[in-house]
């Protein structure tokens, strides 16, 4: 497949360029059905996150993507290499679609995905203290949520990096959120009983679930995969619990979890 021709790329950047090129060709030639197209989007997000965490900059990846798309524009839709790649993606989607679970590791934490699930949780990051954060099945889609065993928990806020105030994050295995004065604040949209079940037939555990709005869910999905953000849970007793969440490959986890 065509890749960036004017920049010396490493292996991770090449993988990202190839997937961006194929997305551009598919947009023009309509080679893929919706399922393989969604899988390709997830594979592309995963490749981008891996390249960023290895040290590539967003500006460099944008340049590589532009070059890959320019090279892809010269490829005929019926080119044997293009057709072969389309068939490879279709086959990869079949295997991807058949999986019920997946693991998307970052530098410090992982997103664990369970499509079938014993409850409404679809993608989870273990943040310790018996809390969990991630994506839950909500209506016809997925919403970002946080759950605590504290029955007296009264509210939850999420703090995301504001790029207009702070520069982009740097890759690090030590989770460190941006300074509070350089973040945007997102307040949970609803408070519910906990949803986590030990087994399909068991009752949900005691606790509180906070669900964030669609707008906040989109904001989290758009966060830099090198970044860490903070969630603050307040309780009626006056205690405050602070959780650190690695963004990592959340977009890839979302794409996988959404393919019910």
């Amino acid at each position: 497949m065509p890749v960036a021709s004017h920049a010396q790329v490493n292996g991770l950047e090449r993988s990202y360029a190839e997937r961006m090129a194929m997305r551009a060709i598919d947009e023009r030639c309509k080679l893929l059905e919706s399922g393989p197209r969604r899988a390709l989007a997830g594979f592309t997000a995963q490749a981008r996150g891996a390249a960023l965490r290895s040290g590539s900059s967003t500006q460099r990846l944008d340049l590589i993507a532009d070059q890959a798309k320019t090279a892809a524009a010269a490829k005929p839709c019926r080119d044997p290499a293009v057709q072969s790649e389309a068939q490879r993606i279709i086959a990869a989607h079949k295997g991807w679609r058949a999986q019920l679970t997946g693991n998307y590791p970052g530098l410090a934490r992982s997103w664990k995905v369970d499509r079938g699930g014993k409850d409404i949780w679809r993608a989870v990051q273990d943040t310790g203290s018996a809390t969990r954060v991630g994506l839950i099945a909500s209506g016809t889609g997925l919403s970002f949520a946080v759950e605590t065993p504290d029955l007296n928990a009264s509210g939850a806020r999420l703090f995301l990096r504001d790029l207009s105030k702070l520069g982009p994050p740097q890759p690090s295995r030590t989770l460190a959120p941006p300074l509070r004065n350089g973040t945007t604040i997102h307040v949970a949209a609803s408070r519910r009983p906990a949803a986590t079940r030990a087994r399909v037939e068991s009752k949900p555990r005691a606790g509180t679930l906070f669900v964030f709005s669609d707008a906040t869910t989109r904001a989290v999905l758009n966060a830099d995969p090198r970044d860490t953000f903070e969630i603050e849970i307040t309780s009626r007793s006056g205690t405050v619990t602070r959780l650190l969440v690695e963004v990592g490959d959340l977009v890839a986890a979302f794409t996988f979890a959404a393919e019910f």
Side-chain angles (χ1 to χ4, degrees):
M1 294 304 300
V3 296
S5 57
H6 303 298
Q8 295 298 316
V9 297
N10 60 37
L12 293 173
E13 292 169 341
R14 175 173 290 274
S15 178
Y16 173 63
E18 290 171 346
R19 294 172 190 188
M20 286 299 297
M22 193 59 198
R23 290 187 72 182
I25 293 172
D26 177 53
E27 184 177 352
R28 173 166 52 89
C29 301
K30 303 297 186 290
L31 299 173
L32 303 174
E33 299 293 335
S34 59
R37 186 170 293 129
R38 287 192 298 271
L40 178 58
F43 301 154
T44 305
Q46 201 169 5
R48 181 177 181 274
L52 286 170
R53 290 192 295 272
S54 74
S56 298
S57 68
T58 53
Q59 294 83 356
R60 177 174 170 81
L61 291 184
D62 289 345
L63 171 63
I64 289 172
D66 287 343
Q67 292 179 354
K69 288 185 282 188
T70 298
K75 280 285 185 180
C77 296
R78 294 189 176 278
D79 184 281
V82 169
Q83 293 292 322
S84 176
E85 181 66 7
Q87 291 304 310
R88 190 189 69 80
I89 292 169
I90 291 169
H93 171 256
K94 289 181 179 178
W96 181 79
R97 182 68 181 84
Q99 297 173 10
L100 288 179
T101 61
N103 188 51
Y104 294 85
L107 289 175
R109 300 257 183 89
S110 295
W111 291 105
K112 300 184 185 304
V113 181
D114 189 342
R115 280 186 179 135
K118 51 186 175 291
D119 48 41
I120 63 174
W121 287 97
R122 293 294 175 264
V124 173
Q125 186 173 120
D126 182 5
T127 52
S129 304
T131 60
R132 51 172 35 193
V133 301
L135 301 169
I136 61 168
S138 178
T140 58
L142 300 175
S143 296
F144 196 79
V146 57
E147 188 179 270
T148 171
D150 183 2
L151 289 169
N152 292 316
S154 57
R157 300 189 298 172
L158 188 154
F159 300 85
L160 285 177
R161 178 184 298 267
D162 185 343
L163 290 175
S164 68
K165 299 178 181 178
L166 298 174
Q170 297 301 313
S172 175
R173 295 184 180 277
T174 303
L175 299 184
L179 297 174
R180 286 282 183 93
N181 61 5
T183 63
T184 57
I185 302 173
H186 303 259
V187 179
S190 66
R191 177 183 182 276
R192 311 176 189 174
T196 299
R197 295 174 183 265
R199 297 178 303 279
V200 173
E201 68 275 9
S202 64
K203 294 182 178 180
R205 72 171 185 176
T208 308
L209 174 72
F210 294 99
V211 183
F212 292 88
S213 67
D214 290 345
T216 298
T217 300
R218 286 192 295 270
V220 173
L221 290 169
N222 285 327
D224 192 298
R226 297 167 291 188
D227 213 354
T228 297
F229 61 91
E230 192 171 16
I231 296 177
E232 182 179 86
I233 303 172
T234 55
S235 177
R236 295 188 185 94
S237 63
T239 61
V240 177
T241 302
R242 294 183 175 90
L243 311 174
L244 296 182
V245 184
E246 182 180 2
V247 177
D249 282 333
L250 181 58
V251 172
F254 174 89
T255 305
F256 182 82
E259 188 84 357
F260 296 123

